[in-house]
């Protein structure tokens, strides 16, 4: 009896958690542009007209060595944009134009250049109109959503059911999705689905084994509750195994 109860508990929780998983929705007509980031390793060489820099893609360096590089960030049209540069086991000594001179201070010298941009919440648009957010009321085009705890729980439109269905379909939603609590609509989800997230990066390493050591990025989602369903499933199955083992 205990075994069957445990199995039933796991199945019930699995069904509950499956319904809590977020649906994919949002615009598909506005893909983010492609940005380009490059890091070029250089050698400093003497010439008859003075010092010059030449590409040195295979160059390695040890502690105390001075290395040179450039980092460039370009938008989709090839225009320079501002990004960030993170150094590992290196300290900047000076700049020579767009060339960075740095001294190696550790075993795994590396440069990570990153450009990242996310549309601000106040600049979100849909169908040429601003997305209006007022507390738990969100207006997207002709649709007005009510959200609770970051989840859409109701929607209305100044029209009939056919108009409502059409506009929801344009966002890859249905009424059933909303009333089943499948549409996450917290601020992060709004930006993820209606805005743009642009990320481009490049890395260069000078270590002999070509290894760069850094803390890995954590996965980003529009709403943290996506993980709750999977955690509950694992817990339920673990409980089932324990109960079954004690029968």
């Amino acid at each position: 009896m205990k075994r069957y109860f445990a199995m039933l508990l796991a199945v019930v929780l699995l069904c509950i958690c499956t319904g809590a998983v977020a649906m994919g929705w949002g615009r598909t007509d506005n893909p983010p542009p492609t940005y380009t980031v490059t890091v070029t390793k250089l050698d400093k060489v003497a010439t008859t007209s003075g010092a010059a820099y030449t590409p040195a893609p295979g160059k390695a360096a040890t502690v105390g060595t001075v290395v040179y590089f450039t980092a460039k960030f370009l938008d989709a049209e090839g225009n320079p944009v501002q990004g960030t540069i993170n150094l590992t086991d290196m300290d900047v000594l000076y700049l020579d134009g767009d060339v960075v001179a740095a001294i190696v201070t550790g075993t795994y010298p590396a440069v990570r250049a990153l450009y990242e941009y996310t549309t601000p919440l106040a600049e979100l648009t849909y169908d040429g109109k601003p997305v209006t957010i007022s507390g738990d009321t969100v207006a997207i085009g002709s649709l007005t959503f009510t959200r609770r705890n970051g989840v859409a729980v109701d929607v209305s439109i100044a029209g009939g059911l056919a108009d409502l269905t059409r506009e929801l379909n344009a966002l890859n939603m249905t009424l059933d999705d909303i009333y089943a609590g499948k549409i996450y609509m917290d601020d992060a989800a709004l930006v993820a689905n209606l805005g743009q997230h642009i990320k481009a990066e490049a890395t260069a390493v000078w270590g002999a084994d070509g290894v760069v050591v850094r803390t890995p990025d954590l996965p980003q989602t529009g709403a943290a509750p996506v993980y709750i369903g999977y955690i509950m499933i694992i817990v339920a199955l673990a409980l089932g195994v324990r109960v079954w083992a004690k029968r």
Side-chain angles (χ1 to χ4, degrees):
M1 182 65 180
K2 290 181 179 179
R3 177 176 59 182
Y4 293 122
F5 172 76
M7 294 175 63
L8 179 60
L9 175 64
V11 171
V12 170
L13 285 177
L14 177 61
C15 294
I16 294 174
C17 298
T18 302
V21 176
M23 300 290 293
W25 66 275
R27 65 192 310 166
T28 58
D29 62 336
N30 192 28
T34 301
Y35 280 53
T36 304
V37 177
T38 57
V39 177
T40 304
K41 295 162 61 176
L42 303 170
D43 257 338
K44 187 176 183 179
V45 297
T47 68
T48 55
S49 57
Y53 300 94
T54 59
K59 187 175 182 63
T62 56
V63 174
T65 304
V66 177
V67 299
Y68 307 91
F69 67 90
T70 59
K72 296 184 178 181
F73 308 84
L74 302 176
D75 65 15
E77 287 73 40
N79 302 309
V81 294
Q82 186 174 358
T84 59
I85 299 174
N86 298 304
L87 304 183
T88 300
D89 287 347
M90 299 167 64
D91 289 330
V92 174
L93 294 177
Y94 61 86
L95 301 179
D96 184 2
D98 61 349
V99 176
V100 180
I103 187 168
V104 176
T105 59
T107 307
Y108 302 105
V111 173
R112 182 191 183 211
L114 173 67
Y115 176 84
E116 193 163 15
Y117 172 81
T118 300
T119 307
L121 192 67
E123 297 179 12
L124 294 177
T125 62
Y126 178 74
D127 198 22
K129 300 177 181 178
V131 174
T132 304
I133 304 169
S134 179
D136 283 333
T137 301
V138 180
I140 303 175
S142 58
L143 297 170
T144 300
F145 293 89
T146 300
R147 58 183 182 174
R148 185 178 300 121
N149 298 324
V151 178
V153 295
D154 198 7
V155 62
S156 62
I157 191 173
L161 180 59
D163 300 318
L164 179 60
T165 302
R166 182 184 65 253
E167 294 301 319
L168 286 174
N169 287 342
L171 285 171
N172 195 30
M173 299 180 188
T174 68
L175 274 175
D176 289 341
D177 295 336
I178 293 172
Y179 294 129
K182 294 182 178 180
I183 304 299
Y184 289 132
M185 201 169 279
D186 61 9
D187 291 350
L190 288 171
V191 171
N193 287 286
L194 298 175
Q196 291 184 334
H197 179 68
I198 303 168
K199 184 176 182 180
E201 64 178 299
T203 301
V205 298
W206 283 263
D209 53 3
V211 175
V212 55
V213 178
R214 66 179 180 89
T215 303
D217 295 330
L218 294 176
Q220 302 295 314
T221 65
V226 173
Y227 294 106
I228 295 177
Y230 299 103
I231 295 172
M232 291 178 66
I233 292 171
I234 293 172
V235 171
L237 293 178
L239 288 173
V241 171
R242 291 179 62 183
V243 172
W244 178 83
K246 292 180 180 180
R247 63 178 173 82

